[in-house]
């Protein structure tokens, strides 16, 4: 039976590990959280103390960390796994990062006789646990072949976007541009509706049945209506991702004014102490600027 190591057992990583187990794969995993490691063991996997321990005997390593810096530390840091992974094992990198970072990591890892698959993900924790993620992958054909069983177990839609690492990362950044702008627009709209003294539950019902709807409006505005800002996707994620988009656009001499405006809102929310709260907290930022009262619930800030 093929062994898969999962590095990072947060909301996404633990769900992905469970979907791998459900597909009959052997799963080893590690995380800084002892509770997350225990949850993997309870689900039938093997909890490990370090990434180096987790990758022992693994033909596939799935890295579900936050950013390029964490990915680099896992691979090439003082306790890195690049030379500990079995020869010809494939490192499946799911972090959202700039394309040039993915290309750099792929080149360095392949020089050591291992494979790299640039494979950012989309879909959220619930879909991760069901093995229904969208995976935007690019890399060498042999990397796809080595990771095939794991990719099939984790995804409902697997896009094979080319033979070069970095392409998957670029696709993900286009998604993040739209997602970040759509969340900002949704939060602006619902708070403006509150400023007009409209029934917000009815606004939600009307908009989700109308042309102005978006996936993000439909998904995030219930958080605002419940007054529940526990983080399913934190404000700081879009501070990072829209910042990457700004860097990419600057290098390409390409204007992204909507993404730039949205980034300022996420920065404002983070600066106001909401960086670790749900990204629907942009509605709270708008409310604070305009004197609007939003529904009260289980808020975290």
């Amino acid at each position: 039976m093929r062994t898969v190591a999962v590095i990072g057992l947060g909301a996404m990583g633990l769900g992905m590990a469970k979907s791998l187990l459900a597909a009959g794969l052997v799963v080893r995993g590690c995380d800084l959280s002892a509770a997350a490691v225990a949850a993997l063991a309870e689900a039938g996997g093997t909890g490990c103390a370090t990434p180096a321990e987790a990758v022992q005997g693994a033909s596939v390593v799935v890295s579900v960390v936050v950013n390029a810096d964490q990915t680099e530390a896992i691979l090439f840091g003082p306790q890195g796994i690049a030379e500990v992974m079995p020869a010809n094992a494939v490192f499946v990198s799911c972090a959202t990062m700039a394309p040039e970072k993915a290309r750099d990591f792929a080149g360095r890892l392949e020089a050591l006789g291992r494979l790299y698959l640039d494979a950012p993900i989309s879909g959220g924790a619930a879909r991760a646990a069901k093995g229904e993620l969208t995976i935007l992958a690019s890399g060498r054909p042999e990397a796809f072949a080595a990771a095939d069983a794991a990719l099939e177990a984790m995804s409902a839609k697997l896009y094979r976007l080319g033979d070069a690492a970095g392409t998957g990362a670029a696709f993900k950044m286009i998604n993040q541009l739209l997602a970040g702008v759509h969340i900002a627009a949704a939060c602006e709209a619902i708070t403006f509706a509150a400023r007009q003294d409209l029934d917000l539950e009815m606004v939600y019902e009307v908009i989700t049945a109308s042309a102005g709807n978006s996936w993000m409006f439909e998904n995030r505005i219930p958080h605002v209506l419940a007054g529940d800002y526990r983080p399913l996707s934190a404000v700081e994620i879009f501070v990072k991702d829209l910042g990457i988009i700004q860097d990419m656009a600057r290098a390409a001499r390409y204007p992204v004014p909507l993404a730039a405006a949205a980034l300022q809102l996420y920065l404002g929310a983070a600066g106001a102490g909401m960086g670790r709260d749900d990204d629907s907290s942009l509605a709270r930022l708008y409310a604070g600027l305009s004197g609007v009262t939003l529904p009260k619930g289980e808020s975290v800030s």
Side-chain angles (χ1 to χ4, degrees):
M1 295 177 66
R2 184 163 296 185
T3 297
V4 181
V6 179
I7 311 300
L9 298 170
M12 295 294 289
L14 182 59
M16 292 161 72
K18 289 179 177 178
S19 69
L20 291 163
L21 287 166
L25 299 169
V26 176
V27 179
R28 299 165 60 83
C30 70
D31 193 274
L32 294 175
S33 166
V37 175
L40 174 65
E42 184 177 348
T46 300
C48 302
T50 66
E53 180 185 344
V55 303
Q56 294 296 320
S59 58
V60 181
V61 179
V62 180
S63 174
V64 198
V65 296
V66 173
N67 55 30
D69 288 344
Q70 290 184 5
T71 304
E72 184 169 28
I74 287 168
L75 281 172
F76 307 111
Q79 307 298 321
I81 65 170
E83 297 190 44
V84 179
M85 291 169 57
N88 297 315
V90 57
F91 184 85
V92 180
S93 177
C94 298
T96 301
M97 66 181 72
E100 64 266 23
K101 287 288 188 180
R103 289 190 287 268
D104 175 57
F105 297 159
R108 291 160 68 184
L109 190 61
E110 289 165 0
L112 296 172
R114 280 76 176 178
L115 299 167
Y116 184 100
L117 196 66
D118 176 21
I121 54 179
S122 181
R127 286 172 59 186
K130 295 177 182 178
E132 296 178 353
L133 289 172
T134 297
I135 301 180
L136 313 175
S138 65
R140 295 178 182 273
E142 54 267 39
F144 274 105
D148 185 63
L151 296 171
E152 181 69 23
M154 296 185 293
S155 66
K157 292 185 178 181
L158 170 64
Y159 290 99
R160 299 172 182 262
L161 300 171
D163 294 346
T167 304
F171 268 83
K172 180 61 183 292
M173 297 320 302
I174 301 303
N175 180 78
Q176 293 306 91
L177 186 159
L178 289 165
V181 169
H182 288 175
I183 292 168
C187 291
E188 181 175 295
I190 200 68
T191 314
F192 185 48
R195 190 72 174 85
Q196 303 303 308
D197 296 321
L198 301 180
D199 180 330
L200 298 188
E201 296 281 355
M202 185 55 67
V203 170
Y204 181 76
E205 181 177 338
V206 169
I207 295 303
T208 54
S210 302
N213 190 34
S214 68
W215 192 93
M216 285 301 187
F217 185 94
E218 192 163 346
N219 182 266
R220 295 306 203 267
I221 297 308
H223 306 179
V224 179
L225 300 181
D228 186 352
Y229 299 96
R230 289 174 293 183
L232 297 180
S233 175
V235 166
E236 287 288 0
I237 295 294
F238 281 101
V239 171
K240 170 181 71 75
D241 291 354
L242 291 176
I244 293 172
I245 288 163
Q246 296 302 302
D247 292 341
M248 292 170 64
R250 186 182 306 110
R253 296 298 186 263
Y254 184 84
V256 284
L258 296 181
L263 175 58
Q264 296 307 305
L265 294 168
Y266 290 101
L267 286 168
M274 295 180 273
R276 295 188 177 182
D277 297 353
D278 192 77
D279 50 34
S280 60
S281 292
L282 291 196
R284 288 192 288 171
L285 180 69
Y286 273 110
L289 293 171
S290 60
V292 164
T293 299
L294 292 172
K296 300 290 186 181
E298 191 170 349
S299 182
V300 292
S301 287

